[in-house]
Amino acid sequence: MNSLKQIFPKGDLIAFAILAVLLAVVFPLAMDVFRLNLVGKYLTYAFVALGLVLCWGYGGILSLGQGIFFGLGGYCMAMFLKLEASSPENTAIQSTPGIPDFMDWNQLTELPWFWEPFHSLSFTIIAVMLVPTVFAFFIGLAMFKRRVGGVYFAIITQAIAAILTILIIGQQGYTGGVNGITDLRTFLGWDIRTDSAKVILYFVNLVLLFTCLVIAQIIRKNKLGRILVAMRGREERVRFSGYDVANFKIFVFCIGALFAALGGAMFTLQVGFMSPTFVGIVPSIEMVILCAVGGRLSIFGAIYGALLVNFAKTSFSESFPELWLFAMGALFISVVLFFPNGLASVYQDHIVPRFKKRFKKQGKPVAVKPRVQTAKNQPNTTEKTDDVLTGGTL
Amino acid sequence: MSQKDFVLSVEGLTVSFDGFKAVNDLSLYVDEGEIRVIIGPNGAGKTTVLDLICGRTASTSGSIKFRDKELTKMSEHQIVHAGVGRKFQNPSIYEDLSVFENLELSYPKGRSVFGALFFRRDQAVINQVHEIAEMIFLQDMLDKPAGLLSHGQKQWLEIGMLLIQEPDLLMLDEPVAGMSVAERRKTAELLKRITKGRSVIVIEHDMQFAEEIADRVTVLHQGQVLSEGSMERVQNDPKVIEVYLGH
Ligand SMILES: Nc1ncnc2c1ncn2[C@@H]1O[C@H](COP(=O)(O)OP(=O)(O)O)[C@@H](O)[C@H]1O
Ligand SMILES: [Mg+2]
């Protein structure tokens, strides 16, 4: 691994600090518990967007099925909470006390075998992280080793998301069906519906999110991150540099799944239920939009994108619920057309240079590093530079 | 007589694209340390032969032995690990990365996922990158995004990416194509330097250039070897003359 300074250059440290202050100080001070809990919920999508930055922005792997992993993580956590909420005392009026209510309604008379281990918290935590990651591993293995990529991969992930939704809805007795797993109350006896619990969960969520951010930063600042970028543009060349491309794709896809799963589990804890609405095609596409709006090359952009789009969604759908999907579509199209690298590029291209100019005027030298992303989008400058470069060497 | 004398022995190699045999029952033997130039008209199958050797295209039949390894059963990265490096006809570099990073990625260390995650840019890597950059005339461009290089410089960079892999067999597909006269001269110089102590296969159109560097020349025509030997012999071969004049 490289030194800390290489992994956390000054600009990124500042970005970390700004985000930390905003999320850990400003929001908790400025918002009531209801709003804060809402932000906490939005931030669970930020986990997914963050994973997509690595998978899609860096590695070029577009997954339209991240809801799968968000859902699996969320369901694992929901199963644990549901079992706790379904103690024999709480469910005494059921024909079979001690099993979740929806099972009782569906004439189940004992807990299915795969629910049993979710009595244990340690098992649940491991399952939250492992079940989605292992699932992603096998999807990745099956697809990437066969060199299925691009649009085909996106469609397949989408199909899997659809299948999983149908499965969950169809197996009502085991999964709670279309309503999902609801009426979750306590976590090891601690009531998660109280205001104080919501505030604490908000901060737990933040700690997890920042852990994922640091992991993402380490990955992208290492050689691994550069291999991902290389793979995005010239997958074939990477093979001839001696790398097994499929392994790198599987790895980053698994990381994306793990992040999404953590988000899903924190969603369940903070919102108090999990349902197939968060697994299928529409939520999966929404997650890609969050990432695109924030900027698919920016791990910080992903967080801001998740916050902004969801704020917009909440306020918009309060007044025009039926129009939200259209607004979302319009937002996505305009971002892709006008800011292909999302809000983060607006910040990088317009706000940062202005700051730097300021500092320069005050006599502080600022090293301006050439930015790679702009190279592609400005053929004119490229040609000009070519002449200069060639002239210089020959 | 043993195959040990050859660094590469290709035997009965055939590839068929929907019935069209781009390479047809081709046999080719390259000596240890030899510089072999492959010439031939457009569409003769030169690039396809390199594709087959480096695993980019799967052969229909035949065998490719590199030292004692059968390459036809190996995947691209395994062939690279075995010591075969290949430069593509169109410069194929990582435009989004800097020149330094392009070379660093090609450095043969940390090639597994976790190897890459824990890869350290130590002094040995930095020195090696600088050394190669100097060889390929890009020592002042290390921090530049590779996408900003000129066509010729991209060709050099790709040659550099190959060199840093330290391959035993170097395969270059038209390395001077699209270069200016000055760049051509520099590249010829570069190639002469880097081919020392290595086995090399170069595809080249430029006869004069080919004559300058080749130990032996193979002329391909319609996926088959038309003629082979010294440049002089090949140029005087009536079959070769006919093919070139006939076109
Ligand atoms: N993947 C492919 N599918 C179908 N035809 C191909 C493929 N690759 C090469 N060819 C054909 O094989 C022939 C040889 O091509 P190539 O090896 O590129 O020739 P050269 O490099 O000698 O100019 C050409 O006719 C080309 O169209
Ligand atoms: Mg060719």
PDB file of all heavy atoms in Angstrom, chain B residues 41-48 86 89 173-174 203 205, ligand 2:
ATOM      1  N   PRO B  41       1.592  -8.535 -48.177  1.00  0.00           N
ATOM      2  CA  PRO B  41       0.590  -7.542 -48.565  1.00  0.00           C
ATOM      3  C   PRO B  41      -0.504  -7.406 -47.508  1.00  0.00           C
ATOM      4  O   PRO B  41      -0.625  -8.261 -46.627  1.00  0.00           O
ATOM      5  CB  PRO B  41       0.010  -8.105 -49.866  1.00  0.00           C
ATOM      6  CG  PRO B  41       0.416  -9.536 -49.915  1.00  0.00           C
ATOM      7  CD  PRO B  41       1.645  -9.671 -49.097  1.00  0.00           C
ATOM      8  N   ASN B  42      -1.278  -6.348 -47.600  1.00  0.00           N
ATOM      9  CA  ASN B  42      -2.393  -6.137 -46.671  1.00  0.00           C
ATOM     10  C   ASN B  42      -3.341  -7.322 -46.695  1.00  0.00           C
ATOM     11  O   ASN B  42      -3.644  -7.851 -47.756  1.00  0.00           O
ATOM     12  CB  ASN B  42      -3.172  -4.882 -47.066  1.00  0.00           C
ATOM     13  CG  ASN B  42      -2.722  -3.703 -46.236  1.00  0.00           C
ATOM     14  OD1 ASN B  42      -2.267  -3.886 -45.113  1.00  0.00           O
ATOM     15  ND2 ASN B  42      -2.842  -2.511 -46.797  1.00  0.00           N
ATOM     16  N   GLY B  43      -3.777  -7.742 -45.527  1.00  0.00           N
ATOM     17  CA  GLY B  43      -4.724  -8.845 -45.454  1.00  0.00           C
ATOM     18  C   GLY B  43      -4.076 -10.202 -45.572  1.00  0.00           C
ATOM     19  O   GLY B  43      -4.754 -11.222 -45.677  1.00  0.00           O
ATOM     20  N   ALA B  44      -2.732 -10.233 -45.530  1.00  0.00           N
ATOM     21  CA  ALA B  44      -2.035 -11.504 -45.673  1.00  0.00           C
ATOM     22  C   ALA B  44      -2.197 -12.383 -44.435  1.00  0.00           C
ATOM     23  O   ALA B  44      -1.967 -13.583 -44.487  1.00  0.00           O
ATOM     24  CB  ALA B  44      -0.552 -11.247 -45.928  1.00  0.00           C
ATOM     25  N   GLY B  45      -2.575 -11.749 -43.313  1.00  0.00           N
ATOM     26  CA  GLY B  45      -2.750 -12.517 -42.079  1.00  0.00           C
ATOM     27  C   GLY B  45      -1.647 -12.278 -41.057  1.00  0.00           C
ATOM     28  O   GLY B  45      -1.524 -13.010 -40.078  1.00  0.00           O
ATOM     29  N   LYS B  46      -0.852 -11.225 -41.260  1.00  0.00           N
ATOM     30  CA  LYS B  46       0.270 -10.952 -40.361  1.00  0.00           C
ATOM     31  C   LYS B  46      -0.218 -10.663 -38.941  1.00  0.00           C
ATOM     32  O   LYS B  46       0.237 -11.261 -37.967  1.00  0.00           O
ATOM     33  CB  LYS B  46       1.082  -9.755 -40.883  1.00  0.00           C
ATOM     34  CG  LYS B  46       1.551  -9.910 -42.315  1.00  0.00           C
ATOM     35  CD  LYS B  46       2.386  -8.727 -42.790  1.00  0.00           C
ATOM     36  CE  LYS B  46       1.646  -7.405 -42.853  1.00  0.00           C
ATOM     37  NZ  LYS B  46       0.608  -7.305 -43.890  1.00  0.00           N
ATOM     38  N   THR B  47      -1.154  -9.697 -38.850  1.00  0.00           N
ATOM     39  CA  THR B  47      -1.685  -9.338 -37.533  1.00  0.00           C
ATOM     40  C   THR B  47      -2.370 -10.541 -36.883  1.00  0.00           C
ATOM     41  O   THR B  47      -2.220 -10.776 -35.680  1.00  0.00           O
ATOM     42  CB  THR B  47      -2.675  -8.168 -37.670  1.00  0.00           C
ATOM     43  OG1 THR B  47      -1.980  -7.044 -38.201  1.00  0.00           O
ATOM     44  CG2 THR B  47      -3.268  -7.791 -36.328  1.00  0.00           C
ATOM     45  N   THR B  48      -3.056 -11.325 -37.693  1.00  0.00           N
ATOM     46  CA  THR B  48      -3.756 -12.490 -37.154  1.00  0.00           C
ATOM     47  C   THR B  48      -2.771 -13.491 -36.544  1.00  0.00           C
ATOM     48  O   THR B  48      -3.056 -14.102 -35.511  1.00  0.00           O
ATOM     49  CB  THR B  48      -4.598 -13.156 -38.257  1.00  0.00           C
ATOM     50  OG1 THR B  48      -5.408 -12.152 -38.871  1.00  0.00           O
ATOM     51  CG2 THR B  48      -5.495 -14.225 -37.686  1.00  0.00           C
ATOM     52  N   ARG B  86       3.410  -7.949 -26.532  1.00  0.00           N
ATOM     53  CA  ARG B  86       2.928  -7.621 -27.866  1.00  0.00           C
ATOM     54  C   ARG B  86       2.508  -6.161 -27.973  1.00  0.00           C
ATOM     55  O   ARG B  86       1.830  -5.631 -27.109  1.00  0.00           O
ATOM     56  CB  ARG B  86       1.720  -8.531 -28.157  1.00  0.00           C
ATOM     57  CG  ARG B  86       1.247  -8.472 -29.578  1.00  0.00           C
ATOM     58  CD  ARG B  86      -0.060  -7.747 -29.671  1.00  0.00           C
ATOM     59  NE  ARG B  86      -0.442  -7.513 -31.046  1.00  0.00           N
ATOM     60  CZ  ARG B  86      -1.331  -8.233 -31.715  1.00  0.00           C
ATOM     61  NH1 ARG B  86      -1.927  -9.237 -31.131  1.00  0.00           N
ATOM     62  NH2 ARG B  86      -1.633  -7.924 -32.943  1.00  0.00           N
ATOM     63  N   GLN B  89      -1.070  -2.818 -33.544  1.00  0.00           N
ATOM     64  CA  GLN B  89      -0.857  -2.022 -34.745  1.00  0.00           C
ATOM     65  C   GLN B  89      -1.236  -0.560 -34.496  1.00  0.00           C
ATOM     66  O   GLN B  89      -0.475   0.352 -34.806  1.00  0.00           O
ATOM     67  CB  GLN B  89      -1.688  -2.610 -35.880  1.00  0.00           C
ATOM     68  CG  GLN B  89      -1.363  -2.037 -37.231  1.00  0.00           C
ATOM     69  CD  GLN B  89      -1.911  -2.908 -38.355  1.00  0.00           C
ATOM     70  OE1 GLN B  89      -2.281  -4.062 -38.153  1.00  0.00           O
ATOM     71  NE2 GLN B  89      -1.956  -2.361 -39.544  1.00  0.00           N
ATOM     72  N   ASP B 173       3.799  -4.924 -33.981  1.00  0.00           N
ATOM     73  CA  ASP B 173       2.992  -4.861 -35.196  1.00  0.00           C
ATOM     74  C   ASP B 173       3.096  -3.464 -35.804  1.00  0.00           C
ATOM     75  O   ASP B 173       2.548  -2.506 -35.281  1.00  0.00           O
ATOM     76  CB  ASP B 173       1.528  -5.201 -34.854  1.00  0.00           C
ATOM     77  CG  ASP B 173       0.734  -5.609 -36.081  1.00  0.00           C
ATOM     78  OD1 ASP B 173       1.228  -5.365 -37.196  1.00  0.00           O
ATOM     79  OD2 ASP B 173      -0.364  -6.163 -35.913  1.00  0.00           O
ATOM     80  N   GLU B 174       3.827  -3.352 -36.886  1.00  0.00           N
ATOM     81  CA  GLU B 174       4.042  -2.088 -37.603  1.00  0.00           C
ATOM     82  C   GLU B 174       4.388  -0.929 -36.667  1.00  0.00           C
ATOM     83  O   GLU B 174       3.633   0.034 -36.555  1.00  0.00           O
ATOM     84  CB  GLU B 174       2.801  -1.752 -38.438  1.00  0.00           C
ATOM     85  CG  GLU B 174       2.454  -2.912 -39.362  1.00  0.00           C
ATOM     86  CD  GLU B 174       1.532  -2.508 -40.491  1.00  0.00           C
ATOM     87  OE1 GLU B 174       1.400  -1.304 -40.744  1.00  0.00           O
ATOM     88  OE2 GLU B 174       0.977  -3.411 -41.138  1.00  0.00           O
ATOM     89  N   ILE B 203       6.410  -6.950 -37.498  1.00  0.00           N
ATOM     90  CA  ILE B 203       5.691  -6.857 -38.763  1.00  0.00           C
ATOM     91  C   ILE B 203       6.014  -5.496 -39.358  1.00  0.00           C
ATOM     92  O   ILE B 203       5.927  -4.481 -38.665  1.00  0.00           O
ATOM     93  CB  ILE B 203       4.170  -6.982 -38.537  1.00  0.00           C
ATOM     94  CG1 ILE B 203       3.849  -8.380 -38.047  1.00  0.00           C
ATOM     95  CG2 ILE B 203       3.408  -6.654 -39.818  1.00  0.00           C
ATOM     96  CD1 ILE B 203       2.394  -8.586 -37.746  1.00  0.00           C
ATOM     97  N   HIS B 205       6.147  -2.944 -43.085  1.00  0.00           N
ATOM     98  CA  HIS B 205       5.914  -2.725 -44.506  1.00  0.00           C
ATOM     99  C   HIS B 205       7.153  -2.140 -45.172  1.00  0.00           C
ATOM    100  O   HIS B 205       7.438  -2.399 -46.323  1.00  0.00           O
ATOM    101  CB  HIS B 205       4.763  -1.724 -44.697  1.00  0.00           C
ATOM    102  CG  HIS B 205       3.440  -2.372 -44.729  1.00  0.00           C
ATOM    103  ND1 HIS B 205       3.148  -3.406 -45.565  1.00  0.00           N
ATOM    104  CD2 HIS B 205       2.313  -2.149 -44.007  1.00  0.00           C
ATOM    105  CE1 HIS B 205       1.909  -3.793 -45.376  1.00  0.00           C
ATOM    106  NE2 HIS B 205       1.375  -3.048 -44.425  1.00  0.00           N
TER     107      HIS B 205
HETATM  108 MG    MG C   2      -2.029  -5.828 -39.773  1.00  0.00          MG
END
